[in-house]
Amino acid sequence: MLQLDPILDFRLQTGTKGVPPSGDGIALRDVGAQGWRLLDGSIPLPAAVLRASALQQNLTAFQTYIDQAGVKLAPHGKTSMCPQLFDRQLRAGAWGMTVATYAQACTALRYGVTNLMIANELVGETEIRALAQVTDARILSLVDSVAGVERLENILAGTARPFEVLVELGIDGGRTGARGAETALAIARRVAASPVLSLAGVEGYEGLIVTGDAKADAVRVDAFLNDLLHVFATGRDEGLFAGAPILSAGGSAYFDLVARGLKTEGVTTILRSGCYLTHDTGFYKRLLDHVGERAVLGPAPALKPALEVWAQVVSRPEPGLILINAGRRDLSDDSGLPKVETWTRPGKGAAPQAVSDWQFYRMNDQHGYVRVPEAAQVAVGDYVSLSISHPCTTFDRWPLLLEVDDDYRVIGALRTFF
Amino acid sequence: MLQLDPILDFRLQTGTKGVPPSGDGIALRDVGAQGWRLLDGSIPLPAAVLRASALQQNLTAFQTYIDQAGVKLAPHGKTSMCPQLFDRQLRAGAWGMTVATYAQACTALRYGVTNLMIANELVGETEIRALAQVTDARILSLVDSVAGVERLENILAGTARPFEVLVELGIDGGRTGARGAETALAIARRVAASPVLSLAGVEGYEGLIVTGDAKADAVRVDAFLNDLLHVFATGRDEGLFAGAPILSAGGSAYFDLVARGLKTEGVTTILRSGCYLTHDTGFYKRLLDHVGERAVLGPAPALKPALEVWAQVVSRPEPGLILINAGRRDLSDDSGLPKVETWTRPGKGAAPQAVSDWQFYRMNDQHGYVRVPEAAQVAVGDYVSLSISHPCTTFDRWPLLLEVDDDYRVIGALRTFF
């Protein structure tokens, strides 16, 4: 579906994390034929791996859920910035892709995305002019102020093809987005009257409503979705939309509520979920548990954590402390620290053993600190696997991820573009 | 000094942050000839810039300080992972380079570093075998346990050339490194007796002793340096070292104390300072202030912050709040949040104005939140510059940085390898 040859032809280079000495100069498309096995010591650690079976399950389970809900998915590509994964998301049935920035849009367009939502207001003159010249893709972006609309108009003055934007409704005290329905509607009217812009729909982002009180959060999310619907319905009544209108919200944290709340007759409702693809064992796991408890559209999709970081023990300087060779540059901590899931000694017959009482408690740039039971038999050179919380800020620490089967044989490699 | 042609021949691609539409396909060596100016809107934001004048001042001031102290510098390359900067550090007089990991070592070796310290114990079998085959560079790495020594010996059994290691002394409750002088000496003796290893010296890392009480910290650092010297002197008395011995410590936070404490007749004392090159306005600024107050080797070197991230205002949804298009993926917060330094409206005649009362208080992945005075005239599309705290975790968010002169003309580009 996408044009991935330039990525598959890319030649690996030692110096990139996860590339073994024998991988220097190997084309990415040939990685799966090398016979590398993570557990036998073929791969320098730290390395980030994606479990193929979990990826496939997540792709299918989430798209099925979306299809059954009668809405569309434009997965947020900023999570992985991996066109090879974009391709799988589109093949699984996604309507298009979402990105956050101009640079990310360039990557999506380079590899052939044809329906692209940029979930921000474009403000850079050079970038806006460049995107306005794209003819082989539909590009949607946001506006959240009359000043922003006027800025776009000034930059685009004289262009023939209308530039499609959605008006963004925000939340008081929140991030971007017009504050209040009346402000949003004033912007929508301004866009509708513009000679160079066209109003494609209404957009909001509910994903920052996470206080830890799931029930109260759900009430707030529903209220916000109602506000979005109100702006949308008023805009439709006033005839502000050009063509078939779009209603869009985030859908990573509350995809059930968004799908239920925004599904509307004659409207393309687009969710921009990003983290379903790899899921996690922290922040998004908790949110998925709440989706299951609410069961507003039936059971939650069965998502499995697909992204693991493997590291090697470099020191056990005290009986209850090991240091591993993965730190801030390999793992995120913005939504919770990683968890040590398994431990093994690399070599023939290595079999990861689950550990539950090891505590990853601190990171420096290149080291992780793990408290272990003094009786644990872990030694320098052993491997540990870590699960993560918040895929986005783990992906962006890895220019290359290895795809593995359930026995940790390396069956491919994936490039990211951050 | 290094072989940078493969980097200079690299062709930029839109999709990489900081590359404008007109930069697609331009060779990196030609960036300075493009006439790009940050302030006129040529460059998509966010972009990371290095100020050439500050870089040059830091290179000279720090190397002069090191030379006058009578010690050597192997700058920690993990800070920037930028061979173009390694080259400048070596040309300025550095003895060699330091890295933290096997992957980083591969990058340093690929571009021609010939004196390389890997400031960790090597534990990966594949990696150790590969590095043992390198003949055109001197590679030093660490050991901090007899188990680690035996692991190296097993992997290297039968190799002809001795593999050089330094024994690492640690700190109780700290990171890696043998706990206590006696443990370190036992490891040193084991190395000296090894058929495949040779003991090159003694090493420690004092940089984690930062509690906020600068005077107490300095006392602890001096005590640790004394312990290092004790291990070293005993090892020398016992004839454990092969050839001219090396004494090494960190030297980013306490380079004055390390240079004073470890300078020893007949010994190569190596500091591994990393952050002097770009300096910062947060964590390392505070530590440099303490160096100046202590004045143990005269005044502190005059370091200037060289690394800035520029971002654009994407929304002002409330009078006292702006959102900028730089977030966690562009800026670090592990050692303090970035600070907004200047504000300007891009275009001809744009002149950054210093701001002091704008508060950068939160980041999401792709957004920064800044509180501004309600009377501030800042508008959507305006530019802000941010200074940073902790260069390492800002560099690693930028595959490409732009080098600018004092008028923010783009005079070159620098690639990093994370």
Side-chain angles (χ1 to χ4, degrees):
Chain A
M1 213 157 196
L2 297 189
Q3 293 108 43
L4 300 177
D5 278 339
I7 294 175
L8 300 175
D9 290 339
F10 176 79
R11 290 187 180 274
L12 307 193
Q13 195 166 287
T14 54
T16 304
K17 294 188 289 183
V19 176
S22 65
D24 202 45
I26 296 286
L28 190 138
R29 67 168 78 248
D30 296 328
V31 165
Q34 300 302 311
W36 295 337
R37 302 177 72 112
L38 185 76
L39 300 181
D40 74 2
S42 297
I43 305 298
L45 299 190
V49 305
L50 286 165
R51 299 185 67 154
S53 59
L55 277 182
Q56 187 54 51
Q57 174 168 328
N58 296 346
L59 279 167
T60 305
F62 199 77
Q63 188 66 50
T64 300
Y65 185 95
I66 289 290
D67 290 345
Q68 289 176 351
V71 295
K72 300 285 183 193
L73 180 64
H76 211 320
K78 71 117 176 161
T79 296
S80 73
M81 283 314 297
C82 176
Q84 293 160 279
L85 293 176
F86 298 176
D87 184 65
R88 296 190 201 179
Q89 292 173 303
L90 292 165
R91 286 176 192 271
W95 171 88
M97 292 299 301
T98 300
V99 294
T101 67
Y102 164 74
Q104 293 174 0
C106 290
T107 296
L109 294 169
R110 177 179 299 274
Y111 297 103
V113 170
T114 52
N115 278 332
L116 184 64
M117 175 147 356
I118 303 173
N120 272 302
E121 183 165 305
L122 289 165
V123 289
E125 187 170 337
T126 312
E127 301 95 289
I128 291 165
R129 286 191 212 283
L131 291 174
Q133 287 167 22
V134 172
T135 54
D136 51 0
R138 182 182 185 189
I139 300 175
L140 303 160
S141 62
L142 311 183
V143 288
D144 76 349
S145 68
V146 169
V149 170
E150 289 173 350
R151 186 176 167 80
L152 274 172
E153 281 184 330
N154 289 338
I155 293 169
L156 293 170
T159 53
R161 206 165 48 106
F163 198 76
E164 290 191 273
V165 295
L166 288 78
V167 64
E168 181 174 41
L169 180 69
I171 296 170
D172 283 343
R175 200 165 70 184
T176 58
R179 300 303 195 248
E182 283 315 307
T183 308
L185 281 163
I187 300 163
R189 291 178 194 118
R190 183 68 186 72
V191 171
S194 168
V196 294
L197 302 178
S198 84
L199 187 66
V202 176
E203 186 273 351
Y205 180 55
E206 76 298 339
L208 294 170
I209 304 174
V210 181
T211 63
D213 178 344
K215 282 187 185 160
D217 288 346
V219 171
R220 288 179 65 207
V221 168
D222 276 334
F224 175 64
L225 297 171
N226 275 334
D227 290 345
L228 263 187
L229 279 176
H230 167 69
V231 172
F232 178 78
T234 309
R236 186 156 64 173
D237 291 347
E238 295 184 18
L240 302 181
F241 300 112
I246 290 170
L247 246 176
S248 178
S252 271
Y254 302 103
F255 54 83
D256 55 335
L257 301 179
V258 172
R260 179 182 69 177
L262 295 191
K263 190 188 168 189
T264 305
E265 198 63 38
V267 172
T268 305
T269 298
I270 299 177
L271 273 64
R272 307 190 304 274
S273 325
C275 294
Y276 74 91
L277 181 61
T278 65
H279 199 49
D280 71 16
T281 63
F283 186 72
Y284 286 99
K285 179 191 182 299
R286 290 192 294 276
L287 291 166
L288 186 69
D289 290 344
H290 297 316
V291 173
E293 288 156 16
R294 284 191 296 266
V296 300
L297 292 175
L303 304 180
K304 287 173 73 170
L307 176 53
E308 298 174 356
V309 173
W310 284 71
Q312 197 162 12
V313 178
V314 293
S315 184
R316 191 179 182 180
E318 301 173 12
L321 171 67
I322 59 170
L323 281 302
I324 61 174
N325 61 2
R328 280 187 202 118
R329 282 177 153 176
D330 313 294
L331 294 157
S332 61
D333 66 356
D334 58 87
S335 303
L337 282 165
K339 290 179 196 145
V340 179
E341 297 286 343
T342 69
W343 157 52
T344 193
R345 190 151 300 162
K348 286 206 169 95
Q353 295 174 42
V355 295
S356 57
D357 47 357
W358 295 21
Q359 192 197 352
F360 189 111
Y361 69 97
R362 186 183 178 193
M363 285 194 278
N364 297 147
D365 292 355
Q366 313 275 172
H367 293 87
Y369 296 66
V370 182
R371 280 201 193 92
V372 296
E374 297 201 358
Q377 296 298 304
V378 59
V380 168
D382 287 356
Y383 284 12
V384 297
S385 71
L386 301 150
S387 66
I388 55 106
S389 181
H390 194 184
C392 305
T393 43
T394 303
F395 267 111
D396 62 20
R397 283 150 170 81
W398 296 92
L400 190 83
L401 295 97
L402 300 173
E403 187 167 11
V404 297
D405 69 11
D406 288 342
D407 294 320
Y408 292 98
R409 279 184 284 253
V410 178
I411 60 171
L414 298 150
R415 279 188 81 190
T416 63
F417 293 79
F418 288 101
Chain B
M1 213 157 196
L2 296 189
Q3 293 108 43
L4 300 177
D5 278 339
I7 294 175
L8 300 175
D9 290 340
F10 176 80
R11 292 187 179 274
L12 306 193
Q13 193 166 288
T14 53
T16 303
K17 295 187 289 184
V19 176
S22 66
D24 202 44
I26 296 287
L28 191 137
R29 67 168 78 248
D30 296 327
V31 165
Q34 301 303 310
W36 295 337
R37 301 176 71 113
L38 185 76
L39 300 181
D40 74 2
S42 298
I43 305 297
L45 299 190
V49 305
L50 286 165
R51 299 186 67 155
S53 59
L55 276 182
Q56 188 53 51
Q57 174 169 330
N58 296 346
L59 279 167
T60 305
F62 199 76
Q63 188 66 50
T64 301
Y65 185 95
I66 289 290
D67 291 344
Q68 288 176 351
V71 294
K72 300 285 182 192
L73 180 64
H76 212 321
K78 70 117 177 164
T79 296
S80 72
M81 282 314 296
C82 176
Q84 294 160 278
L85 293 176
F86 298 176
D87 184 64
R88 296 190 201 178
Q89 291 173 304
L90 292 166
R91 285 176 193 271
W95 170 88
M97 293 298 301
T98 300
V99 293
T101 67
Y102 164 74
Q104 293 174 0
C106 290
T107 296
L109 295 168
R110 178 179 299 274
Y111 296 103
V113 170
T114 52
N115 277 333
L116 183 64
M117 175 145 359
I118 302 174
N120 273 302
E121 183 165 306
L122 290 165
V123 289
E125 187 170 336
T126 312
E127 302 94 289
I128 291 166
R129 285 191 212 283
L131 291 173
Q133 287 166 22
V134 172
T135 53
D136 51 0
R138 182 181 185 191
I139 300 175
L140 303 160
S141 63
L142 311 183
V143 288
D144 77 349
S145 68
V146 170
V149 171
E150 289 173 350
R151 188 177 166 80
L152 274 172
E153 281 184 328
N154 289 337
I155 293 168
L156 293 170
T159 54
R161 205 165 48 106
F163 197 76
E164 291 191 274
V165 296
L166 289 79
V167 64
E168 180 174 41
L169 181 68
I171 296 171
D172 282 344
R175 201 165 69 183
T176 58
R179 298 303 195 249
E182 283 315 308
T183 309
L185 281 163
I187 300 163
R189 291 178 194 118
R190 183 68 186 73
V191 172
S194 169
V196 294
L197 303 177
S198 84
L199 187 66
V202 175
E203 186 274 351
Y205 180 56
E206 77 298 339
L208 293 170
I209 303 175
V210 180
T211 63
D213 178 344
K215 282 187 185 160
D217 288 347
V219 171
R220 288 180 65 208
V221 170
D222 277 334
F224 176 63
L225 296 171
N226 275 335
D227 291 345
L228 263 187
L229 280 176
H230 167 69
V231 171
F232 178 77
T234 309
R236 187 158 62 175
D237 291 348
E238 296 185 17
L240 302 181
F241 300 113
I246 289 171
L247 245 176
S248 178
S252 272
Y254 301 103
F255 53 83
D256 55 335
L257 301 178
V258 173
R260 178 181 69 176
L262 295 192
K263 189 188 168 188
T264 306
E265 199 62 38
V267 172
T268 305
T269 298
I270 299 177
L271 272 64
R272 306 190 305 272
S273 325
C275 294
Y276 75 91
L277 181 62
T278 65
H279 200 50
D280 71 15
T281 63
F283 185 72
Y284 286 99
K285 180 192 181 298
R286 290 192 294 276
L287 291 166
L288 185 70
D289 290 344
H290 297 316
V291 173
E293 289 155 15
R294 284 192 295 266
V296 300
L297 292 175
L303 303 181
K304 288 173 73 169
L307 176 53
E308 298 174 356
V309 173
W310 284 72
Q312 197 162 13
V313 178
V314 293
S315 184
R316 190 179 182 180
E318 300 173 12
L321 171 68
I322 59 170
L323 281 302
I324 62 174
N325 61 1
R328 279 186 203 119
R329 281 175 155 176
D330 312 295
L331 294 157
S332 61
D333 66 356
D334 58 89
S335 302
L337 282 165
K339 290 179 197 147
V340 179
E341 297 286 343
T342 69
W343 157 51
T344 193
R345 189 151 300 163
K348 286 208 169 97
Q353 296 172 41
V355 295
S356 57
D357 49 357
W358 294 22
Q359 192 196 353
F360 188 111
Y361 68 97
R362 188 182 177 193
M363 285 194 278
N364 296 146
D365 292 354
Q366 313 275 172
H367 293 86
Y369 296 66
V370 182
R371 282 201 191 90
V372 297
E374 297 200 358
Q377 296 299 305
V378 59
V380 168
D382 288 356
Y383 284 12
V384 297
S385 71
L386 301 150
S387 66
I388 55 105
S389 181
H390 195 185
C392 306
T393 43
T394 303
F395 267 112
D396 62 19
R397 284 150 169 81
W398 297 91
L400 191 83
L401 296 97
L402 300 173
E403 187 167 12
V404 296
D405 70 12
D406 288 342
D407 294 320
Y408 291 99
R409 279 183 285 254
V410 178
I411 60 171
L414 299 149
R415 279 188 82 190
T416 64
F417 293 80
F418 288 101

